Amino acid sequence: MGLLDGKVAIVTGAARGIGRAIALKFAQEGADVAFTDLAIDDNAKATEAEINALGVKGKAYASNAADYADTERVVAQIMEDFGRIDVLVNNAGITRDGAIKRMTEQQWDMVINVNLKSAFNFIHAVQPIMFKQKNGSIINMSSVVGVSGNANQANYAASKAGLIGLAKSVAQELGPRNIRANAIAPGFILTEMTDVLPDNVKEGWYAQIPLRRGGTPEEVANVALFLASDLSSFVSGQVLQVCGAMNT
Ligand code: NAP
């Protein structure tokens, strides 16, 4: 018996990192998992194979989450292949860091489109399906910097704050239809996104974290599992910070 038996989940940007950990955790708990990635590369194929090896259905879809029409297309395809959608995790995200005075319009637009508009695209596409089912859990992958802000990440922090406002609004709007929406705000998590940071920057983060370490993708996936499953059936419109007490 898994916590997500019989449910179908979509996870965006799940070929690697936190998204991959969530897709695998959901599959271990009995969910069929459709996930997206910009292109189906070796990472995506490996994640797809790992999901299927767990005895559930897993399928990778190439889609640009920032593209409205592409999202409509891929959600329709997932519906055709899987028949229902119970859980949506808006995980796809990028950084294009820089001081505000040097930030280009392109850096701003890319981050807002990939991190925030993508979540609107997917929520807009899945909501009529969840509405008919009278059931759904939507999870937006925010960040602690969406709560507290961060120097040199104005575009990223704004997109992550937007994901919180979006989750809270959708929770209020779709709650009467038994659709929940929450945000997860991870702190410093050890993935390829953070691996590129110089050692002194990483040490700086650890010094600010009372647990004195970075988190793992699995530790974020455990919280996503809670929010996706019926364990959290009365939890909606909330932000769960997964950050080793960095933000309190
Ligand atoms: P990651 O390792 O860089 O993985 C990001 C994934 O998103 C990749 O699979 C990537 O695909 C995909 N992606 C990027 N742009 C996309 C697009 N336009 N459409 C579809 N997929 C796209 O990142 P991560 O560290 O796992 O982060 C996952 C999420 O958690 C992000 O939203 C991030 O902002 C958030 N987060 C991370 C941390 C952290 O410390 N790592 C902390 C707080 C929040 P490709 O493989 O094709 O590039």
Side-chain angles (χ1 to χ4, degrees), residues 13-19 36-39 41 63-66 91-94 114 141-143 156 160 186-189 191-194:
R16 56 193 168 90
I18 292 170
T36 72
D37 203 28
L38 265 178
D41 55 9
S63 100
N64 178 3
N91 169 78
I94 57 167
V114 174
M141 197 56 65
S142 178
S143 163
Y156 184 76
K160 294 300 182 181
F188 192 86
I189 307 299
T191 65
E192 284 174 42
M193 184 182 264
T194 48

Side-chain angles (χ1 to χ4, degrees), residues 103-123:
M103 189 170 287
T104 63
E105 183 185 9
Q106 197 205 13
Q107 277 175 303
W108 175 268
D109 286 347
M110 267 204 83
V111 168
I112 297 295
N113 287 338
V114 174
N115 295 6
L116 181 57
K117 187 183 174 202
S118 60
F120 163 71
N121 292 342
F122 269 90
I123 290 170

Side-chain angles (χ1 to χ4, degrees), residues 68 71-72 75 88 90 117-130 138 166 170 173-174:
Y68 183 86
T71 304
E72 296 266 295
V75 170
L88 166 67
N90 288 309
K117 187 183 174 202
S118 60
F120 163 71
N121 292 342
F122 269 90
I123 290 170
H124 193 266
V126 304
Q127 56 82 24
I129 297 161
M130 291 182 169
I138 295 166
L166 178 59
V170 167
E173 208 174 309
L174 303 182

Side-chain angles (χ1 to χ4, degrees), residues 2-9 29-32 56 82 84 86 135:
L3 284 169
L4 301 180
D5 280 347
K7 292 192 194 279
V8 174
E29 290 294 332
D32 290 331
V56 294
F82 286 77
R84 56 185 295 120
D86 302 284
N135 171 55

Side-chain angles (χ1 to χ4, degrees), residues 78-238:
I78 290 168
M79 225 5 224
E80 210 177 301
D81 296 345
F82 286 77
R84 56 185 295 120
I85 297 167
D86 302 284
V87 180
L88 166 67
V89 184
N90 288 309
N91 169 78
I94 57 167
T95 53
R96 292 290 182 275
D97 297 350
I100 192 83
K101 65 179 174 189
R102 277 189 290 276
M103 189 170 287
T104 63
E105 183 185 9
Q106 197 205 13
Q107 277 175 303
W108 175 268
D109 286 347
M110 267 204 83
V111 168
I112 297 295
N113 287 338
V114 174
N115 295 6
L116 181 57
K117 187 183 174 202
S118 60
F120 163 71
N121 292 342
F122 269 90
I123 290 170
H124 193 266
V126 304
Q127 56 82 24
I129 297 161
M130 291 182 169
F131 201 86
K132 267 195 211 132
Q133 292 172 181
K134 296 199 184 85
N135 171 55
S137 175
I138 295 166
I139 302 167
N140 285 352
M141 197 56 65
S142 178
S143 163
V144 287
V145 308
V147 178
S148 59
N150 196 28
N152 302 315
Q153 283 200 309
N155 51 357
Y156 184 76
S159 73
K160 294 300 182 181
L163 284 167
I164 292 173
L166 178 59
K168 289 186 179 214
S169 304
V170 167
Q172 291 176 31
E173 208 174 309
L174 303 182
R177 211 59 187 186
N178 194 33
I179 298 168
R180 299 182 293 111
N182 292 285
I184 298 177
F188 192 86
I189 307 299
L190 301 162
T191 65
E192 284 174 42
M193 184 182 264
T194 48
D195 206 33
V196 296
L197 296 170
D199 281 347
N200 64 325
V201 174
K202 283 189 210 164
E203 301 295 331
W205 279 97
Y206 297 160
Q208 292 173 52
I209 301 169
L211 288 181
R212 293 287 181 268
R213 63 175 179 87
T216 64
E218 290 68 32
E219 288 173 314
V220 180
N222 285 333
V223 177
L225 171 62
F226 168 68
L227 291 176
S229 77
D230 296 340
L231 285 179
S232 60
S233 48
F234 206 48
V235 180
S236 192
Q238 304 304 310

